[in-house]
Amino acid sequence: MEGTYWDRVETIQRDGLKKLQLKRLNKTFERAKKSRFYRDRLPETINSLDALKDIPFTTKSDLRSSFPNGMLSVPQEEIIRLHSSSGTTGRATVIYHTRSDIDSWADLVARSMYMTGVRKSDVFQNMMGYGLFTGGLGLHYGSERLGALTIPASSGNSIRQIRLMKEFNSTVIHITPSYALHLYILFQEECIDPVSDLHLRIAFLGAEPYSEETRKRIESLYGLDAFNSYGLSEMNGPGVAFECPVKEGMHVWEDSYILEVVDPETGDLLSDGEEGEIVLTTLKREGMPVIRYRTGDIASVFPGECPCGRTHRRISRIKGRTDDMLIIKGVNLYPMQIEKILMDIPEVGNNYLIEIEKIDYLDSINIKVEVRPEIFHGDIIELENLKKRIVEDLKNEILIHPRITLVEPNSLPRSEGKAVRVVDNRSK
Ligand code: ADP
Ligand code: ZN
């Protein structure tokens, strides 16, 4: 009989896990101190995990200023791959991997996939971009390690994606939530019902924030189980935290990462249950260890044990990055709070865009919302009522009064990678 766990470490007792973490952390310090960046920033060893809080954070700007080799901890001939972020919001960053790093990463991804129920007999269509972005290759190697038939479809080319799903009976997909919603529109145009005409049973959704309502919508449109997948290139990529079948938070693989949550303003440690910024430390990385990395991602740790038996702590859905937070008329707001409301209204279509501008020196927010085709072309009074309902629901949640423009399905700009949800014209 097949086991429930991929690796015994998934259920290790917490005190054993902490001992393992301390041992690996000290080894990580030893390795990291070989790099220019960490040479003088780290002690030789620490005696307890509590002492980690006195070690300085590493930030995105540290990664940028040490570009390209300042954090490299091994001779370059030991490196077999690099991944680099696009640098859309500044200079690029680079992460280096040794053979053993790539190996450990594949193990974590295989473990994550197995946890959701993927097995050798599955056909896995990987619809994330292959290349410098980690979403494609990250899942690819994990899936091969697990032994599933892996289709390196990469992102985009929707008609081919649909064809591949049909021709090879794909059972598992990896896709951004925004693209999954968009793709469904094409299924409708092709007169294919993913629920009855395909064999999909599992989806991994990640790379961008999305709400529980969006997950539920994707599950029902495609007739599958969708699991949240979290990762970032600085920590490898996907495979840092993943949902188990309980679907209450994502287990962070604490044998490979130390998880901390800090107050984004002060950097002070927060307790389980408190919302703050996720800080991560690699525990197995050889090529380029990263210590106390400020991810910018806002979430909280679920207190208590998971009924699945895994002992690694779980984090909530990521609310957004610290820099996604909008301040509108003095009110703090994450785009996710808006998405949550929109996706809970059945008449609302699968895409939206938040536009912010200054009108007479005041912030003004206009949300363009795609509507389902039958509603858009239907009764005008119903459309007006829908608009009122959206305004009302949003006012209750975000406490400001947005303008709503209902637009035709499939009319808003979309990206095949991470969705752009907000256009802020205030600084222009
Ligand atoms: P970039 O920084 O260029 O976007 P990455 O591919 O490393 O490159 O992106 C990682 C980031 O993507 C995370 O820090 C987080 O903000 C976001 N992300 C990844 N997975 C999820 C997820 N499941 N939910 C919400 N956000 C996610
Ligand atoms: Zn669990």
Side-chain angles (χ1 to χ4, degrees), residues 196-320:
S196 53
D197 300 341
L198 299 176
H199 294 81
L200 299 176
R201 60 184 203 93
I202 290 176
F204 305 133
L205 304 179
E208 62 189 14
Y210 62 107
S211 58
E212 185 59 34
E213 288 67 22
T214 294
R215 181 233 297 270
K216 292 207 178 99
R217 188 176 271 229
I218 293 170
E219 288 187 326
S220 92
L221 293 177
Y222 287 87
L224 46 69
D225 257 329
F227 295 89
N228 199 1
S229 150
Y230 170 74
L232 58 161
S233 46
E234 294 81 0
M235 294 291 125
N236 287 350
V240 174
F242 232 87
E243 270 179 335
C244 69
V246 176
K247 289 195 195 162
E248 272 169 18
M250 300 178 278
H251 288 282
V252 175
W253 297 127
E254 292 184 276
D255 58 318
S256 298
Y257 302 98
I258 289 184
L259 163 68
E260 297 169 278
V261 180
V262 304
D263 181 321
E265 301 290 324
T266 62
D268 292 342
L269 271 186
L270 298 176
S271 314
D272 288 2
E274 290 184 295
E275 186 176 273
E277 180 178 351
I278 302 284
V279 170
L280 293 165
T281 298
T282 64
L283 286 178
K284 292 185 83 180
R285 188 77 80 54
E286 290 179 352
M288 187 172 154
V290 181
I291 289 139
R292 301 201 84 208
Y293 183 66
R294 297 282 297 250
T295 64
D297 294 324
I298 302 294
S300 58
V301 172
F302 271 69
E305 286 165 20
C306 185
C308 78
R310 290 176 183 83
T311 48
H312 302 232
R313 281 180 303 163
R314 292 164 295 160
I315 50 169
S316 66
R317 199 166 272 292
I318 309 287
K319 193 168 174 189

